Amino acid sequence: MPFKSDHALELLARARDNGRLGHAYLITGPKEAQHEVFAAKVLDLMVGTKMGTLEAWEGQGAIVLRPQSKSRRITIGDDGDDPGTIRFLEKMIHRTAAPNGWKLAVIVDAERMNPQAQNAFLKTLEEPPPNTLLLLLSTQPQQLLPTIQSRVLEVALMPPDGARIFTEHEGKLLYVLKQMSKKDGGSISAALSLKKDFEGILEALHDSIKKEQEADFEREQDHYAKTTDGAWLKQREEQVEAQIEADYLQQRTSLMELLLSWMGDVARQQAGAEHLDLPKFQEATASLAAKWQPGDVAKRIRVLRQLESHLHTNVNEGLALEVCFIEAFGA
């Protein structure tokens, strides 16, 4: 379950005091949870030296890796003298020390490690030097290898109240839902119209992810064309295709969760609850709460949850959306 930053720090302090502190943590949650700020606080807490930022900790011996260059990747690197790479981390974690003898390493946007880098990092993860603390920061932890995920302790963070920032595609969905609140709805044509809008958002999402990943790939090709063979190119093409699909599925899940949050707020408004997931859209969800019967809202939420579950299988996306939206919003 996700925690507020202060509560998560309290739990880590308790683990330290009880002698149960792990050597590797995966810090997850939305970008609004401010992973880097939290990571700096963890280092302050564990080492007992208040530095405040990761940049300040770098000056005190901590190793901080971030995605490099235009490709926004963390690579394995050529050797231990290649800054910003996993090979560099492997070398320096044995040679440098922070205050009180701690060996500290933070990987920002850890999901940006390519497969080779992730496999190489496993050695450090499995056999760290004594007194080591490794922090992996990620908004998309599902993109990390299962072998990495199984060797770290996850700390899921919640964003501060009111700090949620929506992506471009989430904003489009919220606009569609807000427009829906102004209509009577309750017909097959209205359900299909909503389905069409949602499907259009998904198509635009997939296109944008594909363009971004392919642009990264082209830059990699330019960089490695003279130093690698055709086998590498074929392997990277397959990896890029898999990454596009993984990114799309993750962000599609976020859109489904947003849709369920919207419907949940409709139900909460009907029940007179004070807390709303989307308080900025209180007026729109209140309008729907007044129009719809509680039983109908409960049915819509149930059907959407079924859709969310089906989308994690090999079901045809378009067909699943059509069946669900007609059942949920067709009457």
Side-chain angles (χ1 to χ4, degrees), residues 38 73 90 135 146 153 156 163 177 249 261 268 312:
F38 179 77
R73 291 288 176 188
E90 289 176 336
L135 301 179
L153 299 172
L177 294 173
L249 294 178
S261 289
R268 282 184 278 273
H312 288 293

Side-chain angles (χ1 to χ4, degrees), residues 126-186:
E126 293 171 341
E127 302 174 4
N131 215 28
T132 292
L133 180 61
L134 305 170
L135 301 179
L136 284 70
L137 317 183
S138 178
T139 58
Q140 301 179 43
Q142 71 283 349
Q143 294 187 24
L144 295 171
L145 294 175
T147 44
I148 287 182
Q149 295 184 51
S150 65
R151 288 167 172 78
V152 296
L153 299 172
E154 182 175 359
V155 179
L157 298 178
M158 296 172 61
D161 292 335
R164 183 167 183 178
I165 300 173
F166 299 105
T167 67
E168 173 190 355
H169 303 288
E170 288 173 338
K172 290 178 180 178
L173 177 57
L174 289 167
Y175 174 79
V176 167
L177 294 173
K178 189 174 181 180
Q179 294 303 112
M180 179 183 70
S181 71
K182 301 175 182 179
K183 303 175 183 178
D184 292 334

Side-chain angles (χ1 to χ4, degrees), residues 245 248-249 252 306-324:
E245 188 64 15
Y248 172 69
L249 294 178
R252 184 184 68 182
Q306 290 173 350
L307 172 63
E308 184 181 37
S309 177
H310 291 329
L311 288 175
H312 288 293
T313 68
N314 291 326
V315 68
N316 179 280
E317 180 184 270
L319 181 60
L321 289 174
E322 183 169 322
V323 171
C324 166

Side-chain angles (χ1 to χ4, degrees), residues 36-297:
E36 293 189 46
V37 173
F38 179 77
K41 290 180 179 179
V42 172
L43 300 186
D44 289 351
L45 175 68
M46 297 306 163
V47 180
T49 302
K50 187 172 179 58
M51 301 303 300
T53 67
L54 290 185
E55 289 76 11
W57 271 110
E58 285 187 89
Q60 294 295 316
I63 304 159
V64 180
L65 297 191
R66 304 175 186 274
Q68 297 292 304
S69 71
K70 294 181 179 179
S71 68
R72 291 279 300 154
R73 291 288 176 188
I74 298 172
T75 62
I76 186 172
D78 296 326
D79 53 45
D81 295 323
D82 193 357
T85 67
I86 293 300
R87 293 291 186 226
F88 179 80
L89 184 151
E90 289 176 336
K91 175 183 176 180
M92 300 307 294
I93 198 74
H94 290 276
R95 296 192 177 187
T96 61
N100 298 327
W102 280 89
K103 295 181 178 296
L104 309 172
V106 181
I107 302 181
V108 179
D109 295 336
E111 74 278 359
R112 302 300 293 180
M113 285 190 286
N114 64 25
Q116 295 89 343
Q118 292 194 44
N119 279 311
F121 179 64
L122 277 172
K123 182 179 180 181
T124 299
L125 201 53
E126 293 171 341
E127 302 174 4
N131 215 28
T132 292
L133 180 61
L134 305 170
L135 301 179
L136 284 70
L137 317 183
S138 178
T139 58
Q140 301 179 43
Q142 71 283 349
Q143 294 187 24
L144 295 171
L145 294 175
T147 44
I148 287 182
Q149 295 184 51
S150 65
R151 288 167 172 78
V152 296
L153 299 172
E154 182 175 359
V155 179
L157 298 178
M158 296 172 61
D161 292 335
R164 183 167 183 178
I165 300 173
F166 299 105
T167 67
E168 173 190 355
H169 303 288
E170 288 173 338
K172 290 178 180 178
L173 177 57
L174 289 167
Y175 174 79
V176 167
L177 294 173
K178 189 174 181 180
Q179 294 303 112
M180 179 183 70
S181 71
K182 301 175 182 179
K183 303 175 183 178
D184 292 334
S187 69
I188 298 296
S189 62
L192 291 176
S193 177
L194 182 60
K195 176 255 183 183
K196 182 180 179 181
D197 288 336
F198 189 72
E199 209 165 32
I201 292 169
L202 292 179
E203 289 174 1
L205 169 64
H206 192 276
D207 287 346
S208 66
I209 293 171
K210 185 177 180 180
K211 288 179 182 177
E212 179 182 356
Q213 290 289 341
E214 289 181 344
D216 287 349
F217 181 46
E218 287 180 8
R219 285 189 285 267
E220 286 187 9
Q221 281 183 286
D222 293 340
H223 180 73
Y224 292 109
K226 298 179 181 180
T227 59
T228 56
D229 56 22
W232 172 87
L233 181 61
K234 178 63 176 176
Q235 184 181 34
R236 269 308 279 145
E237 286 177 345
E238 294 173 352
Q239 290 171 353
V240 168
E241 290 177 3
Q243 190 65 57
I244 290 170
E245 188 64 15
D247 285 359
Y248 172 69
L249 294 178
Q250 189 269 335
Q251 294 189 52
R252 184 184 68 182
T253 296
S254 295
L255 288 170
M256 281 301 305
E257 290 174 352
L258 181 60
L259 178 55
L260 283 164
S261 289
W262 178 280
M263 296 303 300
D265 275 2
V266 175
R268 282 184 278 273
Q269 297 250 34
Q270 290 179 330
E274 293 184 4
H275 170 76
L276 297 176
D277 284 352
L278 305 166
K280 292 183 179 179
F281 298 89
Q282 180 176 357
E283 183 177 344
T285 52
S287 175
L288 292 174
K291 294 176 184 177
W292 294 345
Q293 294 297 316
D296 292 335
V297 175

